[in-house]
Every structure is written in structure tokens, then in C-alpha cells.
Amino acid sequence: MSTHRRAAALELVMTAIMLFIAVTATRWLMVTIDSGSGGWWNTPQRRLLAVAPIAGYTVTAFMLSPWGRATGGHLNPAISLAMWRYGRTPGRDVLPFITAQLLGSVVGTAAARLAWGPAIAGRATDYAAVAPAPGWSWAAVAAVEAGTMFVIVAVAGIGISSRRLGRYTPWAVGTLITAQIIAFGTHSGGVANPAREFGPALLSGRTALLPVYLLAPVIGSLAAATAVRRAQRRPSADLPSPTAIPPRTAAVGAGRPSTSPSSAS
């Protein structure tokens, strides 16, 4: 298997594991609520305090893992496009990565259904597909999804270009993912990752807002990468221009060259 195909295969496997964890967490933490028992913990909003760190720091763990260092640990089509825009991922890897991430989303969701049975497909779990709160329009959802991805990609872009901050970037990304899920999970859905929603939406049949969840993070991601690149063109001792950064580098925050032809999330 070529290095490029192996990198795409690793993205598929990592994304599948991420979705399996997400669907499993939804099954066991979010839909076991007994609304009649009361208690501080017994609301969807409060359960997000457990679900959000699982989601956020799963991404951090993959970014820091050997697999993540080999591919960049993107697990998100919007991140793959941003890293291409930053000059960190070769253009020929973008489409294979995105295809692998979306396929991994379906595989991971289906694997959770096989592991946990009909409860995953039931109304309470519904394959962990997200949906906005009543009253939220598609435009409001798009604004939040694009805005949160803008922040994540901007922070990642600054981190991967900084000698001092690079090692902290995976933790910053995981923390931002955690924060956006807590802040917006019961409002817009709070995914900011097309792969996170793709498999659950397809298998549950809840595809009405799928185009928004697919496209809005991409728009925010590319806007952030463009803004950071422009800012980095100004002289700075710690933020070198992206043109000065080798296009094939290690995962976000690794701060050293990679033997892989692809990189960074």
C-alpha cells in the first residue's frame, strides 16, 4: 500500500473510531436520563458536561497518537481543507482524506449499531444524529457551525506555525471542541465537523439539515485559514509565513518534520 493510501486508510479508521465513541457516549450518557427522577445531573444540558470532553479529547488523543502524527489526525473534512490551505497537506491528499472521513463516519456509526443493538436506532438515540433546538433556522445553525469552526481553525493555524505554541495545539483544539459542544450542543447541534454528522444523519434518515452541517464548517474553516495566512504575511519572529513552512510536516502541534507525505489537524 502506498504512503498516500495508507494515510487515507488511517483517517478512515480514526474517524470510524471517533464516531463509534460518539454514538456510544450518546447511547449511554444522553439517553439514559430518567426525567422523572430529577437531580442536577439529570438533564441533557448537564449530561453534555460528560459527553463534550469525551468528544473533544478523543480528537486530541488521535492528534497525538502515532496514527495522528502520520496523517495529521484531521478526522474532519473542514480541517483537511484548512490544512491544505495552510500548505500543510498536499492537494492530492485532500479528496482521499475527505472520502475516507465520510466513509469512516458511516462505518463507525454502523459499528455502534451492531455493538449496542436496536437502542441505537431508537427514537431516543437515533444514531446520535444532531438537530437544532426548536426555533433555530438553518441560517442560525450555519452561522454557529461556521463561526465555531472559524475559531478552531484559526487557533490551529496559529499553533502549527508557532515554535512555542505548536506542542499545545492538540490540547487547544480538543478544548475548543469541548467548549463548543457544551455551549451549542442543545442549540445548533454543536458538531462543527461534517464527518461527525454524515454517518448518523444518513443512517437515521435525518438529512434535512445535512447540507448545512456539511458546508457551514467548510466555509468557516476556509475563511479562517485565509485570514490567518494573510495575517502571517506580516513580519513576525514567531509566526513564519506559511510559504516558509515545509508542506509535508507532522501532525498539528508536533513541531517537527514527518516522514508522512500528509499532515496536520
Side-chain angles (χ1 to χ4, degrees):
M1 181 182 294
S2 71
T3 304
H4 292 277
R5 290 181 180 178
R6 179 177 181 273
L10 289 175
E11 281 289 315
L12 188 157
V13 172
M14 288 189 290
T15 306
I17 295 172
M18 179 184 72
L19 263 294
F20 181 87
I21 291 172
V23 176
T24 298
T26 301
R27 166 68 182 89
W28 294 107
L29 291 174
M30 295 298 288
V31 303
T32 56
I33 299 171
D34 178 4
S35 58
S37 65
W40 180 89
W41 176 250
N42 216 29
T43 67
Q45 293 82 359
R46 302 290 167 76
R47 292 289 176 100
L48 282 179
L49 296 177
V51 173
I54 292 172
Y57 295 114
T58 293
V59 174
T60 296
F62 276 126
M63 291 169 67
L64 294 172
S65 72
W67 288 358
R69 290 179 180 274
T71 73
H74 299 181
L75 294 86
N76 184 334
I79 294 293
S80 293
L81 286 167
M83 293 305 133
W84 163 71
R85 187 74 179 90
Y86 282 136
R88 293 296 187 110
T89 296
R92 63 179 174 177
D93 281 347
V94 174
L95 183 58
F97 272 30
I98 292 175
T99 302
Q101 291 152 1
L102 295 180
L103 180 58
S105 175
V106 176
V107 170
T109 306
R113 169 65 175 82
L114 291 174
W116 307 120
I120 295 298
R123 179 176 298 180
T125 307
D126 211 6
Y127 290 95
V130 302
W136 276 68
S137 67
W138 71 265
V141 172
V144 170
E145 292 292 301
T148 52
M149 182 49 46
F150 183 99
V151 173
I152 292 170
V153 168
V155 169
I158 294 169
I160 63 177
S161 300
S162 170
R163 298 179 183 90
R164 291 184 294 110
L165 301 177
R167 70 183 66 180
Y168 305 112
T169 304
W171 295 100
V173 169
T175 300
L176 287 172
I177 292 172
T178 299
Q180 63 95 12
I181 293 172
I182 292 173
F184 300 108
T186 57
H187 301 293
S188 70
V191 290
N193 181 347
R196 164 60 182 84
E197 178 64 359
F198 185 71
L202 284 186
L203 293 180
S204 68
R206 294 171 59 174
T207 58
L209 283 178
L210 183 57
V212 175
Y213 288 116
L214 293 179
L215 297 176
V218 169
I219 293 170
S221 175
L222 292 177
T226 299
V228 171
R229 281 174 60 89
R230 288 180 179 175
Q232 288 176 335
R233 289 195 180 103
R234 295 194 293 269
S236 171
D238 193 54
L239 295 178
S241 167
T243 58
I245 302 172
R248 297 180 181 184
T249 55
V252 168
R256 60 177 181 273
S258 170
T259 56
S260 167
S262 56
S263 61
S265 164

